[in-house]
Amino acid sequence: MSDQAILRITREIKQIQQGTDLSLAVACQESDIRNVKALIVGPPESPYEFGFFEFSIKFPKDYPASPPNVKATTTNGGRCRFNPNIYAGGKVCLSILGTWRGESGEQWSSAQGLESILISIQSLMSANPYENEPGFENAKSSADKKYMAQYVAKIRHETLRVAVIQPLEESLGIQSDGTVLPPTGEYGSDEDEDSEPLFGDDKVPFEPFNDLRKRRFLWYYESYMQAIDAAEPNVQPKQAFERMPFEGGGNSMDGHFDYPELKRRMIFIKETIANETKNWAIEGLAAKEQEAGIAVNLQRQHEQIVEDLKHKKNFTVDLVIVDGNPFVWELTYFGRPMTHLDGGIFKIRIALSPRFPDEQPRVFVETPLFHHRVSKDGVLCYFPQRSDEMKYHVEAIVEALEEESPPYDPRTTVNPEATKLFWGSPEDKKKYNRALRRSVERSTEEAFA
């Protein structure tokens, strides 16, 4: 592969990584830039909503003269066809990839790139994926309409089971019998000091999206549970999936509905992530005792942030390290005057991993707050400008709380009830503001109780 092609691939990867599209993520190993992993988060208001769909992408030596080879890997081991154009075997049928006949002008050109490919795949994940099947424009009978509804129903179920639950269970070590494998990490493991490290290209598979899935799961947990509650009454327990006319020959989505089981597994995943987060603090103390570089680094970052807050005379934020553990921070936010949070006092816990920044902080608003960016369990959805320095995380936490006129984006809202009111009618918005003010008033009462 030419140096020019390598530079272009590198640039395209960085553009997505540094972009603002919350639905796309890409990663590769420096030693093998031609092989890229990509993640597409299923679009809101579709049966793919907030599913984690992974793809492997291999660039040819003559790129961009020829398109890359793209293969879907979220297929339940080759047994689940998620779309008329995304096969169980991983084939992605798109004219720009040369895997499907298209109209003139729809074929690959060197002006296209990695992002345009991912956006094209994402466009297949529509509210009615049945329409991607050739000949759909002639599907007008009542039987066809029945198939459309049945197809949406089973995709919604399998999105939760295969594209959310399964990869999270795998990354968390959750076994089929309900047990959880003990964590393996640089700190807090049961390994001998002389044992070999648990990482390296020849030891651990390249799984760059594990942390992203966990954080997003905490954000979207309530949406997942609402989807289960809405769909469960419409099917019978163990009801078999309806096979579509275009499915067959090992290229289908077969199975049955079992929403009670999905709900049970969702709840257990949430509990396991909570335990993993608690374990970070234990690992963190071990790292501090060993005077590990990450512990020293986080301690220094905390001191610099505190000094900067004093220098700027920022009286809305107080930041302390809890019990001398540099992996557990407590941020007290004092509501800024002339805002809806004016007068409020909110305790916010920042849990940090000994593998920061590869694993990002998990932030919990411990003082109850009715806010579209705060889940009912207190999980805060926020976006730092840079993920590798804690000062950007602290700034983004405050910005997320104070933002009063954000654009509507379902991917950034983690409290469905608050979201519905915030972007509803003028009367709904008044209800939202009243609920927010009540939580602000209660926060003050609790602080001085």
Side-chain angles (χ1 to χ4, degrees), residues 294-310 317-332 350 352 356 389-391 394:
I294 182 61
V296 175
N297 180 274
L298 288 175
Q299 181 77 41
R300 186 183 302 117
Q301 287 197 48
H302 173 267
E303 293 168 357
Q304 290 172 342
I305 295 170
V306 170
E307 186 62 32
D308 188 54
L309 290 171
K310 290 179 180 177
V317 174
D318 181 56
L319 191 65
V320 299
I321 283 178
V322 178
D323 297 329
N325 188 339
F327 296 87
V328 184
W329 295 14
E330 183 180 85
L331 185 154
T332 303
I350 305 174
L352 288 138
F356 174 84
E389 293 186 35
M390 282 305 300
K391 70 175 183 178
V394 172

Side-chain angles (χ1 to χ4, degrees), residues 227-248:
I228 290 174
D229 290 340
E232 187 174 1
N234 301 322
V235 295
Q236 297 296 319
K238 304 296 183 179
Q239 177 181 326
F241 294 157
E242 188 74 27
R243 179 169 283 195
M244 299 295 107
F246 53 81
E247 293 182 324

Side-chain angles (χ1 to χ4, degrees), residues 265-371:
R265 292 166 73 181
M266 284 276 184
I267 293 170
F268 191 62
I269 287 172
K270 182 184 173 188
E271 293 172 351
T272 306
I273 293 177
N275 290 333
E276 180 186 71
T277 308
K278 291 177 183 177
N279 195 61
W280 284 0
I282 299 170
E283 289 184 82
L285 284 177
K288 180 184 177 183
E289 290 172 2
Q290 296 173 22
E291 299 182 350
I294 182 61
V296 175
N297 180 274
L298 288 175
Q299 181 77 41
R300 186 183 302 117
Q301 287 197 48
H302 173 267
E303 293 168 357
Q304 290 172 342
I305 295 170
V306 170
E307 186 62 32
D308 188 54
L309 290 171
K310 290 179 180 177
H311 178 72
K312 292 179 179 179
K313 297 183 179 180
N314 186 332
F315 302 114
T316 62
V317 174
D318 181 56
L319 191 65
V320 299
I321 283 178
V322 178
D323 297 329
N325 188 339
F327 296 87
V328 184
W329 295 14
E330 183 180 85
L331 185 154
T332 303
Y333 172 76
F334 301 91
R336 200 182 299 275
M338 307 302 292
T339 70
H340 288 300
L341 298 173
D342 186 358
I345 303 175
F346 297 95
K347 297 289 185 182
I348 300 169
R349 178 167 52 90
I350 305 174
L352 288 138
S353 167
R355 290 159 292 280
F356 174 84
D358 292 336
E359 288 180 325
Q360 288 287 284
R362 296 171 187 167
V363 178
F364 305 90
V365 182
E366 297 188 321
T367 306
L369 175 61
F370 187 81
H371 195 289

Side-chain angles (χ1 to χ4, degrees), residues 58-255:
K58 185 175 180 63
F59 289 89
K61 290 182 179 180
D62 64 344
Y63 184 80
S66 300
N69 176 272
V70 179
K71 183 177 181 180
T73 56
T74 304
T75 62
N76 193 27
R79 297 187 296 272
C80 188
R81 181 182 183 179
F82 264 106
N83 190 280
N85 289 38
I86 304 176
Y87 290 2
K91 182 179 179 180
V92 179
C93 295
L94 280 174
S95 54
I96 65 169
L97 296 177
T99 52
W100 189 255
R101 61 185 182 275
E103 302 295 331
S104 177
E106 292 182 350
Q107 291 80 14
W108 174 260
S109 76
S110 58
Q112 293 164 321
L114 180 57
E115 186 170 18
S116 60
I117 291 171
L118 296 179
I119 291 174
S120 296
I121 297 173
Q122 188 181 49
S123 70
L124 299 174
M125 300 177 183
S126 63
N128 182 17
Y130 196 94
E131 66 188 1
N132 295 321
E133 174 63 13
F136 167 78
E137 59 275 7
N138 300 318
K140 298 178 181 178
S141 69
S142 58
D144 288 318
K145 293 179 181 178
K146 182 181 178 182
Y147 276 131
M148 294 175 200
Q150 291 171 334
Y151 196 43
V152 165
K154 70 176 183 177
I155 287 176
R156 180 176 289 113
H157 184 278
E158 294 300 85
T159 290
L160 294 169
R161 187 177 74 90
V162 177
V164 178
I165 291 173
Q166 281 188 2
L168 278 160
E169 287 179 337
E170 184 175 345
S171 64
L172 289 164
I174 297 175
Q175 306 300 291
S176 58
D177 61 0
T179 60
V180 181
L181 292 177
T184 56
E186 188 176 355
Y187 305 105
S189 71
D190 295 328
E191 297 234 319
D192 295 331
E193 291 183 8
D194 296 331
S195 63
E196 292 185 355
L198 294 169
F199 42 83
D201 293 343
D202 59 336
K203 297 179 185 291
V204 179
F206 180 53
E207 298 292 350
F209 306 124
N210 283 346
D211 183 59
L212 183 153
R213 277 190 286 253
K214 291 173 188 177
R215 285 185 290 118
R216 295 293 185 91
F217 177 85
L218 293 177
W219 291 358
Y220 304 140
Y221 175 78
E222 193 172 345
S223 294
Y224 295 141
M225 298 302 276
Q226 284 192 352
I228 290 174
D229 290 340
E232 187 174 1
N234 301 322
V235 295
Q236 297 296 319
K238 304 296 183 179
Q239 177 181 326
F241 294 157
E242 188 74 27
R243 179 169 283 195
M244 299 295 107
F246 53 81
E247 293 182 324
N251 189 22
S252 60
M253 178 183 278
D254 298 324

